Amino acid sequence: MVPRALEIEAKMGTRKKVRAFVRVKPTDDFAHEMIRFGDDNKSIDIHLKKDTRRGVVNNQQTDWSFKLDGVLHNASQDLVYETVAKDVISQALDGYNGTIMCYGQTGAGKTYTMTGATENYKHRGILPRALQQVFRMIEERPTHAITVRVSYLEIYNESLFDLLSTLPYVGPSVTPMTIVENPQGVFIKGLSVHLTSQEEDAFSLLFEGETNRIIASHTMNKNSSRSHCIFTIYVEAHSRTLSDEKYITSKINLVDLAGSERLGKSGSEGRVLKEATYINKSLSFLEQAIIALGDQKRDHIPFRQCKLTHALKDSLGGNCSMVLVTNIYGDAAQLEETLSSLRFASRMKLVTTEPAINEKYDAERMVKNLEKELALLKQELAIHDSLANRTLVNYDPMDEIQIAEINSQVRRYLEGTLDEMDIINLRQIQEVFNQFRVVLSQQEQELESTLRKKYILIDKNDFAAISAVQKAGLVDVDGHLVGEPDGQSFGLGVAPFSTKPGKKSKSRKTFKEQLSSSARKEGASSPVGGKDLDVSFSKTQLTPSSKDGDIKDMLLRDRETSNIEPLPSDSPKEELRPPRSSTPPSKSVAFEDFKNERGSEINRIFKENKSILNERRKRASKTTQRINAIKREIDITKEALNFQKSLREKQATLIKLTDPKRSMQRDREMIDSTTDPSPPGAL
């Protein structure tokens, strides 16, 4: 035997079409000649006689055929419920949402199908039978704790009303109800939801809501519903046997729509006429939404056109198993409205839904289960420690004192005063690595602070600052410091060209000022500092400050005021450098320097691409000239052909006027010439 859950999944695929049934209102004057049912009770054929008033040529359609999921003719309330609603209600307790909707003309039996009659117990409708089935299935499932809640919504003249607000413990709502959407679906803000622990409580709420419904009388129905009503049953099931935090929820929407009206037949006036206008308008919007849902190419579905379609957004084409019951008349006088209702049912069958189990997780139960599992794991660890002769092992999170102790051990280990560190558990190992990271970060910060006090740090990517340093004569082209001390009180390297002992400078600019001014002239915008600094031990990024900076300032001043040649050097590594200006070069000069030095490769590629482009331009120009020459030849040939054609026409006209026989012979020759083409190249 297949389990029920697997059986439901077998019945319900990923995509499922809406099921549509038709219920015919019993009548003594049934139009047998116009309405015929199929042998399988799943089709209806409609036949109309042609209107002779339209004349002999009459293209009026007279026959229609509708395929449905079932036709309920002269069916009892028991048969209607077994056919339409029983499976939807049973699946709801397994976590699937369900919707049952009654649609049709006013007075066709929608409210009777949904609610039933109160005079006879056998005549109760789908709604009370659904409540009865829900509570009976709860009794059959003692392994689950199932709670049931209900709500009753009325949509009257495009306004939302709570039919259960008259209960003494509810009271009227101060703010108007609104339709709100969230990731879980659509719900009505301000609508009261009532917990029902037994079947009698649910029936009391149903009868309370029924007494608050708005009804009116007209020629076609003495007790006509003037509003759309949605009775919703919310089900929530928790397992009692399994300590699983997962539980299932579902909701069942039982929708009793107001009937569509032909104002000429119902004779509505005043308030009833206004209500009929709102009813027909909302039903028209409902049909538009159904048409859009049935069209696979449509991206936008107009759910927000009215309150009815917005409230039923989850039911129409969403996570829901939907069933439509279309109520129609069997009389010949109502055949046009019957056709309209059957068209709506056939369009509804094109809509597909995607029902799925609604699973949620209980946060409180999840925390309890995790705490229980954690306690069991700790007990198991204690058993393993006792078997391994490891006592006094603590697996709780470390406090500040323990973390400080590990930090001290790490520092002593790095200093060499501690040879080994005792490892107790995994948490201690993780904290040791964390403290290694902390100590390393602190040492990097201390090192950077020391370097900042002694040196001026320059970013490798800050080309403007590097260029300014090179122009100042502090760093050569290769990035080496000028006059770099060798540890023996001697400066090795190339001294600035303007350096001269004893020469004082007229300018008082420091190196930092010159660096910043040069950076501004070069267009540098990124500051040198923070994480952008390349803190390296290489001397190519370190420029000495303090006393060394004063010496450099003196050298800079000498370079600005003197053009004396550089001092000769005995070192074979020295290279003569041309004198440099104290001010930065212009953009054009700097660009030429860049092309000759760092951008030489880019400049070479640019020149190659430029030559290729010039060559292709020349080829394109030659091709264009050839095309123009050919075009001129074509134009000349075309003019010659037109001239020959006009000449032949004039000759033919002249021959016809002077010699008709010769004209006929000439025509034959022309016909022969058209059938026998001339050789290539001949005009």
Side-chain angles (χ1 to χ4, degrees):
M1 186 174 181
V2 181
R4 180 163 185 79
L6 297 178
E7 183 181 351
I8 291 176
E9 288 187 5
K11 290 180 181 179
M12 305 177 66
T14 55
R15 301 293 297 180
K16 181 180 178 181
K17 287 190 175 182
V18 174
R19 300 172 64 200
F21 296 89
V22 170
R23 187 178 190 185
V24 184
K25 184 177 182 179
T27 179
D28 296 333
D29 189 15
F30 188 81
H32 294 282
E33 297 179 356
M34 299 181 179
I35 303 175
R36 295 186 179 90
F37 306 120
D39 297 334
D40 57 352
N41 275 339
K42 290 187 178 181
S43 63
I44 295 181
D45 297 328
I46 305 295
H47 174 73
L48 280 177
K49 294 181 180 180
K50 282 194 175 183
D51 190 359
T52 57
R53 294 175 296 179
R54 297 189 178 184
V56 179
V57 180
N58 189 353
N59 295 325
Q60 178 186 2
Q61 184 178 354
T62 58
D63 295 288
W64 293 266
S65 181
F66 300 94
K67 298 292 183 181
L68 304 162
D69 291 294
V71 178
L72 303 171
H73 180 51
N74 292 329
S76 63
Q77 295 281 66
D78 291 335
L79 179 60
V80 170
Y81 184 79
E82 291 287 333
T83 307
V84 172
K86 188 174 182 180
D87 291 340
V88 176
I89 304 303
S90 61
Q91 292 168 6
L93 268 73
D94 293 315
Y96 293 95
N97 295 333
T99 298
I100 302 172
M101 180 188 297
C102 289
Y103 175 89
Q105 185 185 3
T106 179
K110 299 180 299 302
T111 303
Y112 178 78
T113 302
M114 181 57 66
T115 308
T118 57
E119 292 82 6
N120 194 332
Y121 181 73
K122 293 182 179 180
H123 294 168
R124 66 194 190 281
I126 293 175
L127 209 161
R129 292 173 185 268
L131 289 173
Q132 186 179 27
Q133 181 182 352
V134 166
F135 283 99
R136 286 184 178 179
M137 292 181 67
I138 291 174
E139 294 177 356
E140 296 172 359
R141 299 190 181 189
T143 57
H144 287 76
I146 302 176
T147 58
V148 179
R149 295 177 175 84
V150 298
S151 65
Y152 211 167
L153 173 68
E154 181 184 47
I155 304 175
Y156 173 73
N157 290 354
E158 280 302 296
S159 299
L160 303 176
F161 296 95
D162 186 2
L163 292 177
L164 302 180
S165 62
T166 56
L167 295 172
Y169 56 87
V170 177
S173 177
V174 179
T175 58
M177 290 190 295
T178 56
I179 301 174
V180 181
E181 295 186 38
N182 58 14
Q184 286 73 33
V186 178
F187 70 97
I188 311 299
K189 184 178 180 180
L191 181 65
S192 62
V193 180
H194 304 267
L195 177 65
T196 57
S197 57
Q198 53 187 353
E199 185 178 343
E200 291 76 9
D201 297 338
F203 281 127
S204 298
L205 294 172
L206 172 62
F207 296 149
E208 178 70 22
E210 287 294 321
T211 56
N212 294 327
R213 291 186 62 174
I214 298 176
I215 59 174
S217 176
H218 53 75
T219 56
M220 297 188 65
N221 191 358
K222 294 182 179 180
N223 297 313
S224 174
S225 300
R226 312 311 295 167
S227 61
H228 310 296
C229 294
I230 304 174
F231 189 89
T232 306
I233 305 173
Y234 306 89
V235 180
E236 183 177 311
H238 295 262
S239 176
R240 286 174 173 167
T241 56
L242 301 175
S243 61
D244 191 3
E245 62 272 5
K246 182 170 62 177
Y247 65 96
I248 58 174
T249 62
S250 63
K251 66 177 180 179
I252 309 167
N253 289 323
L254 303 172
V255 186
D256 182 15
L257 298 176
S260 58
E261 297 182 18
R262 289 282 181 97
L263 300 180
K265 292 184 178 181
S266 63
S268 301
E269 295 178 353
R271 181 178 63 86
V272 180
L273 175 61
K274 180 181 178 182
E275 294 168 349
T277 304
Y278 276 104
I279 291 170
N280 291 337
K281 184 178 178 181
S282 61
L283 292 177
S284 176
F285 287 143
L286 174 62
E287 189 166 5
Q288 290 178 18
I290 296 302
I291 293 172
L293 287 168
D295 187 0
Q296 300 296 330
K297 298 180 181 179
R298 289 282 293 269
D299 295 330
H300 173 68
I301 310 299
F303 285 118
R304 294 177 177 267
Q305 285 186 323
C306 67
K307 299 291 181 59
L308 176 63
T309 54
H310 198 185
L312 295 177
K313 182 178 179 180
D314 290 344
S315 302
L316 302 173
N319 175 19
C320 182
S321 297
M322 186 169 183
V323 178
L324 174 70
V325 180
T326 305
N327 297 87
I328 63 173
Y329 279 94
D331 300 335
Q334 310 295 336
L335 203 56
E336 292 184 4
E337 288 77 7
T338 297
L339 275 173
S340 178
S341 299
L342 291 174
R343 289 193 191 99
F344 181 85
S346 62
R347 289 165 181 163
M348 182 66 84
K349 277 186 64 62
L350 299 176
V351 178
T352 58
T353 61
E354 192 171 357
I357 297 177
N358 300 296
E359 294 181 344
K360 294 185 179 181
Y361 292 87
D362 188 352
E364 184 178 355
R365 183 172 293 186
M366 187 185 300
V367 171
K368 290 182 179 179
N369 291 341
L370 291 175
E371 290 177 348
K372 186 184 297 184
E373 184 178 359
L374 181 61
L376 292 174
L377 291 174
K378 286 184 177 181
Q379 292 176 5
E380 187 174 353
L381 278 174
I383 293 173
H384 283 286
D385 291 338
S386 62
L387 293 175
N389 294 325
R390 299 174 66 222
T391 57
L392 301 177
V393 179
N394 186 13
Y395 295 99
D396 294 330
M398 293 187 175
D399 54 16
E400 295 181 358
I401 298 175
Q402 293 173 331
I403 294 174
E405 177 63 25
I406 292 177
N407 183 278
S408 175
Q409 292 178 1
V410 169
R411 290 184 180 276
R412 285 186 285 143
Y413 180 80
L414 293 175
E415 292 170 358
T417 58
L418 182 65
D419 296 333
E420 293 181 353
M421 297 175 62
D422 295 331
I423 301 302
I424 301 175
N425 53 26
L426 180 61
R427 197 183 296 274
Q428 184 198 15
I429 296 174
Q430 293 176 347
E431 189 60 38
V432 166
F433 280 103
N434 186 32
Q435 293 304 317
F436 267 111
R437 188 189 300 114
V438 171
V439 172
L440 178 61
S441 177
Q442 291 176 354
Q443 290 181 353
E444 287 180 352
Q445 293 177 2
E446 292 174 358
L447 178 60
E448 182 179 351
S449 177
T450 303
L451 292 174
R452 284 183 181 277
K453 292 179 180 178
K454 188 175 182 181
Y455 299 99
I456 298 174
L457 304 183
I458 300 175
D459 187 4
K460 283 183 176 180
N461 298 324
D462 194 350
F463 298 108
I466 294 175
S467 177
V469 172
Q470 291 176 353
K471 291 173 183 177
L474 302 180
V475 178
D476 60 9
V477 179
D478 297 329
H480 299 290
L481 291 174
V482 175
E484 181 179 348
D486 63 347
Q488 303 293 334
S489 300
F490 291 98
L492 301 179
V494 182
F497 294 97
S498 59
T499 303
K500 184 177 180 181
K503 188 75 174 179
K504 294 184 179 180
S505 174
K506 297 179 181 179
S507 175
R508 296 296 180 181
K509 286 187 177 180
T510 63
F511 168 68
K512 288 185 179 180
E513 294 173 351
Q514 185 176 358
L515 177 62
S516 60
S517 63
S518 300
R520 285 195 296 271
K521 293 178 182 177
E522 293 284 340
S525 60
S526 60
V528 180
K531 294 184 179 179
D532 295 334
L533 290 174
D534 187 3
V535 181
S536 174
F537 294 103
S538 174
K539 295 180 180 179
T540 58
Q541 287 84 33
L542 301 178
T543 303
S545 61
S546 67
K547 294 183 179 180
D548 294 337
D550 297 337
I551 296 172
K552 297 301 179 183
D553 289 340
M554 182 182 68
L555 295 177
L556 288 174
R557 291 193 296 270
D558 292 341
R559 184 187 60 184
E560 292 174 358
T561 57
S562 175
N563 293 323
I564 299 176
E565 294 182 356
L567 296 175
S569 174
D570 297 333
S571 175
K573 294 184 180 180
E574 287 186 358
E575 296 178 0
L576 295 178
R577 291 163 56 188
R580 298 193 181 188
S581 175
S582 59
T583 59
S586 61
K587 291 185 179 179
S588 58
V589 176
F591 183 62
E592 292 297 329
D593 294 342
F594 174 76
K595 289 194 297 183
N596 295 329
E597 295 176 0
R598 297 183 181 177
S600 59
E601 182 66 18
I602 298 175
N603 190 31
R604 183 186 63 80
I605 296 172
F606 174 74
K607 288 182 178 179
E608 290 179 357
N609 292 337
K610 188 176 180 180
S611 62
I612 293 171
L613 178 61
N614 292 332
E615 181 66 25
R616 290 184 178 178
R617 282 180 177 174
K618 292 179 181 178
R619 290 169 56 188
S621 178
K622 292 179 180 179
T623 305
T624 305
Q625 293 176 1
R626 289 180 59 193
I627 292 172
N628 292 333
I630 294 171
K631 177 67 169 56
R632 286 194 293 271
E633 292 178 2
I634 292 173
D635 293 339
I636 294 171
T637 305
K638 188 175 180 181
E639 291 178 359
L641 288 173
N642 292 333
F643 176 75
Q644 292 291 335
K645 184 177 179 182
S646 62
L647 184 61
R648 286 187 180 185
E649 290 177 354
K650 291 178 181 179
Q651 292 176 357
T653 304
L654 184 60
I655 291 172
K656 285 181 181 180
L657 294 175
T658 56
D659 192 355
K661 293 182 179 181
R662 187 178 177 184
S663 174
M664 293 176 64
Q665 184 178 0
R666 180 72 175 177
D667 292 339
R668 292 193 189 96
E669 291 177 356
M670 291 180 66
I671 293 171
D672 294 338
S673 65
T674 57
T675 57
D676 186 12
S678 300
L683 295 178

